[in-house]
Amino acid sequence: MACHILLFALLALASSHVMASDPSQLQDFCVADLKSPVLVNGFVCKPLMHVTADDFFFSGLDMPGNTLNQLGSKVTQVNVNQIAGLNTLGISLARIDYAPYGLNPPHTHPRATEILTALEGMLYVGFVTSNTNNGNLLFTKMLKKGDVFVFPKGLIHFQFNYGPTHAVAVAALSSQNPGVITIANAVFGSNPPISDAVLAKAFQVGKDTIKYLPAQFWVDNN
């Protein structure tokens, strides 16, 4: 009897994992209807008769991004908002251009793992783990042309161009719409702003310091 109960429990547990996983696609593709007023987790499908090859196409990734900003970097995104055919496919990419000593600042992608390939220049890259008993661990690497580095889903990461010349990288991401949260912008540039008392307590600094930081112009390099 006990064996039967144990077997039933194991089967129930296995079934729950199966039902909790993402379902497989039920069609070849689902080109996003970006103009539809219907709100779903993703985008509704455009009727097949209205789908064209352009729904799977993007041009211009060979063009350098404008890095003339305070960060010295520019991210050119290619996700479902640029290629409607990416809808439901769980993949996207981006080109990142870096001026000499330019920075793609600490940020996270809440819905995607990222794999970065350095195409030109030297990049200092890294990510920080979530809270552990040993604190937040930092993993870094210097990348040269042809090197690849992975940033796990949801973890804070960055790239810094260590050289005096421009650098370029391409990132593949495991979501059609990975999202991005730039840490400094989110904490000090939210709308409405986070309370000075909350930030002063969190960062263990005086309120004068906190008042100074939100007053800065927080650059969005996306």
Side-chain angles (χ1 to χ4, degrees):
M1 183 65 179
C3 290
H4 290 164
I5 294 174
L6 178 60
L7 178 60
F8 179 79
L10 291 173
L11 288 173
L13 181 62
S15 298
S16 69
H17 283 299
V18 170
M19 290 185 288
S21 64
D22 290 335
S24 298
Q25 286 182 232
L26 301 178
Q27 53 209 11
D28 291 339
F29 49 79
C30 172
V31 173
D33 184 350
L34 300 177
K35 297 181 180 178
S36 173
V38 179
L39 299 178
V40 296
N41 186 21
F43 295 96
V44 297
C45 304
K46 182 187 293 188
L48 182 59
M49 65 188 70
H50 296 161
V51 174
T52 70
D54 285 340
D55 290 317
F56 303 92
F57 176 77
F58 177 87
S59 180
L61 208 61
D62 60 319
M63 300 298 294
N66 184 359
T67 60
L68 295 177
N69 55 59
Q70 289 170 289
L71 295 172
S73 66
K74 175 62 179 177
V75 179
T76 303
Q77 301 183 57
V78 186
N79 55 43
V80 69
N81 295 295
Q82 287 77 41
I83 302 181
L86 286 175
N87 192 40
T88 75
L89 298 184
I91 192 170
S92 61
L93 60 82
R95 169 182 172 143
I96 309 101
D97 289 273
Y98 312 84
Y101 307 106
L103 172 70
N104 191 14
H107 62 281
T108 74
H109 300 294
R111 297 181 288 275
T113 292
E114 175 181 342
I115 182 166
L116 183 87
T117 302
L119 300 182
E120 296 177 19
M122 294 282 290
L123 293 173
Y124 172 65
V125 305
F127 67 86
V128 180
T129 67
S130 54
N131 300 350
T132 73
N133 291 334
N134 296 315
N136 301 93
L137 306 179
L138 173 65
F139 294 87
T140 65
K141 197 74 176 176
M142 285 294 301
L143 304 185
K144 64 181 185 304
K145 182 178 179 179
D147 289 344
V148 177
F149 196 78
V150 174
F151 304 111
K153 180 179 178 180
L155 297 187
I156 295 173
H157 58 283
F158 61 87
Q159 302 108 38
F160 178 65
N161 180 7
Y162 242 129
T165 60
H166 283 77
V168 181
V170 168
L173 300 112
S174 62
S175 171
Q176 68 183 45
N177 187 24
V180 59
I181 303 172
T182 306
I183 306 306
N185 300 39
V187 173
F188 297 112
S190 67
N191 184 22
I194 299 173
S195 163
D196 289 352
V198 170
L199 294 178
K201 187 77 169 180
F203 288 94
Q204 296 293 290
V205 297
K207 287 188 178 181
D208 288 343
T209 301
I210 293 301
K211 287 183 181 297
Y212 167 79
L213 290 170
Q216 305 309 299
F217 178 70
W218 295 101
V219 175
D220 181 3
N221 65 338
N222 288 272

